[in-house]
Amino acid sequence: EIIDLSGIPAGYEIVLQDSPRSSGGGTRWNLVYTNEIYDEELSSGPTILQLAHAAMGLAIDDDQQTQTPKRQQYRQKSLEALVQKAKSRLEILLEETRTMDEINSVFEVSTKNTMVQSELGGRTASDAALWFAFAGSKDRDLFHGLADIASWELHRFGQRPSFRSLYTLQIVERFAAAGLKRHDKLERIASACLSEKEEEAQDDNGMSTENVGSDINPYDDGKAGRQNYLNLHSDRSLLLIWKFRTKPKKQGAFLRYAKSNWEQYHEENVNNEVHSETAPSTDNEKENRKDPNQGIITHSYDWDEIFQDASRPLVVDVGCGMGVSLLGLSSTTEQLPSSKESSRLLLGENLTWSDCNFVGVDLGALGIEYARGVAHRCNLEDNLHFTIDAAEDFCRHLKSYPGEIRFCMIQFPT
């Protein structure tokens, strides 16, 4: 008996489907979207993934340019404009998921033909998060919103027989590589999906899903019985970052595609105030390309401005690349036995990593901006700093550091 249908939102319709007797018979009720529900704002303009690709293309283009104050300002404002557009679309999708969750207690809501499925279906949200992170986004709400969508999608299809454990791993490793440290819903659903499939076939690396916990997080997070699936320094997320930075030939096609996305986006928005006022001159593109002997910004280092306490011992990483070494050391806690041992060996008996400041330097703008974005979102900026500079120039400024230079790493010098 149907008493009241007034609670059905506009744009939905009830679909009844008879079940065969072999399945127990009866009728199944679903609440599904009609075509009218699709938001007008989402029906035009680039998708969130396309915006993420454009952001990645912006970072690639910037990495090939001489770093000037005007160039850095242009890059920052352009990236912020892309992020704001993505967040505007993301909020519409999040509202859709909230609406469906609210009415799901009355009707079984069909997840077919939804805006979420069309815009960020499957693993797309994790891909977008990774590209925005590599582009250097510092916006915490963007990554948490994308993780909310990924959680909703993983709950929708994560336990299907056709959905392999590897796919769940790929979702969480992308968010981990993006620098997302904790998202309870995503971790809980991922754990449930992986537990459901413990007996399935091995993944592409020949690793049984029974070992998935140690693969995602080889470190104890201090909470017994709980795995931290979002660990930037897990083997899988580090391998993902390493492949991105060290195999440019394999990534070449995608990077060219990302750059073309940015060029197309920039051309279509050339009359936008942000771009028209801040875009650096490209009259002579060759002169804007990197030259190892000229064109680098002249830096001055105000250590008291950079660090909350500039008297702390300093750990230096010359040629820091994507900054993952310092991102790990600066967030290390004394609860880990490995942390105590490494600090004893490298810093001495009376110091721990949490006693230090950290600074990383590299000429690669793409890696530095990624590291800055993760450091900001993880609240590490009080004692962690990344700078784009030539190693020789940077090292000359180290003489002015007020505290002790305790430890220096030089990664793969060329």
Side-chain angles (χ1 to χ4, degrees), residues 146-413:
L146 289 170
D148 286 339
I149 293 295
S151 304
W152 199 85
E153 276 291 279
L154 192 57
H155 182 265
R156 179 175 69 85
F157 62 77
Q159 296 185 10
R160 294 178 182 176
S162 60
F163 193 79
R164 300 171 56 197
S165 296
L166 175 61
Y167 302 153
T168 303
L169 290 173
Q170 289 172 339
I171 290 174
V172 293
E173 77 187 18
R174 279 160 171 73
F175 277 106
L180 185 66
K181 294 184 68 174
R182 182 55 59 91
H183 191 280
D184 290 340
K185 186 176 181 181
L186 177 59
E187 292 177 276
R188 183 177 68 253
I189 294 174
S191 178
C193 292
L194 293 171
S195 298
E196 182 79 13
K197 296 175 179 293
E198 282 184 351
E199 304 301 323
E200 289 189 355
Q202 295 182 341
D203 67 15
D204 292 343
N205 295 323
M207 180 197 69
S208 172
T209 54
E210 294 176 359
N211 298 323
V212 78
S214 61
D215 178 74
I216 288 293
N217 180 22
Y219 307 105
D220 179 11
D221 67 356
K223 295 184 178 181
R226 175 170 182 169
Q227 289 291 340
N228 177 14
Y229 290 97
L230 297 174
N231 186 341
L232 174 63
H233 293 87
S234 68
D235 291 345
R236 295 189 70 97
S237 58
L238 288 178
L239 183 60
L240 181 63
I241 296 170
W242 177 81
K243 286 180 177 179
F244 174 76
R245 287 303 286 163
T246 61
K247 296 188 176 181
K249 290 184 179 179
K250 289 188 177 181
Q251 298 285 352
F254 167 74
L255 296 180
R256 288 191 295 272
Y257 170 74
K259 189 174 180 180
S260 68
N261 266 267
W262 162 246
E263 292 169 348
Q264 179 181 353
Y265 173 84
H266 178 267
E267 183 178 352
E268 292 174 352
N269 292 271
V270 70
N271 293 323
N272 183 285
E273 182 179 354
V274 169
H275 296 91
S276 62
E277 290 189 0
T278 62
S281 174
T282 55
D283 291 339
N284 192 343
E285 186 174 341
K286 291 184 179 179
E287 292 183 3
N288 286 333
R289 297 299 175 184
K290 280 185 178 177
D291 185 328
N293 298 316
Q294 63 181 1
I296 304 301
I297 295 175
T298 301
H299 290 272
S300 61
Y301 292 85
D302 185 345
W303 300 109
D304 289 319
E305 182 70 22
I306 291 173
F307 295 117
Q308 189 176 56
D309 181 3
S311 66
R312 286 181 166 195
L314 184 66
V315 175
V316 180
D317 189 353
V318 179
C320 63
M322 304 291 282
V324 291
S325 295
L326 292 187
L327 287 167
L329 293 176
S330 62
S331 58
T332 299
T333 61
E334 283 70 48
Q335 286 81 4
L336 299 175
S338 58
S339 168
K340 294 180 180 179
E341 182 63 14
S342 64
S343 62
R344 183 185 68 82
L345 291 174
L346 299 176
L347 300 178
E349 293 289 347
N350 299 321
L351 283 177
T352 64
W353 296 114
S354 59
D355 297 322
C356 299
N357 289 328
F358 303 85
V359 61
V361 59
D362 201 285
L363 277 177
L366 192 152
I368 291 295
E369 294 298 341
Y370 162 80
R372 287 173 175 172
V374 175
H376 177 83
R377 288 184 277 113
C378 295
N379 298 313
L380 298 173
E381 291 178 307
D382 286 344
N383 68 327
L384 174 61
H385 179 71
F386 292 99
T387 184
I388 304 170
D389 202 354
E392 296 87 346
D393 295 334
F394 169 77
C395 289
R396 280 194 289 269
H397 287 286
L398 282 178
K399 297 177 183 179
S400 64
Y401 183 72
E404 174 192 9
I405 300 174
R406 188 68 174 186
F407 182 63
C408 182
M409 299 180 286
I410 301 177
Q411 308 284 2
F412 306 107

Side-chain angles (χ1 to χ4, degrees), residues 137-148:
S137 174
K138 297 181 178 181
D139 196 298
R140 297 183 182 92
D141 292 338
L142 172 67
F143 292 93
H144 280 276
L146 289 170
D148 286 339

Side-chain angles (χ1 to χ4, degrees), residues 19-26:
S19 299
R21 292 184 179 179
S22 59
S23 301

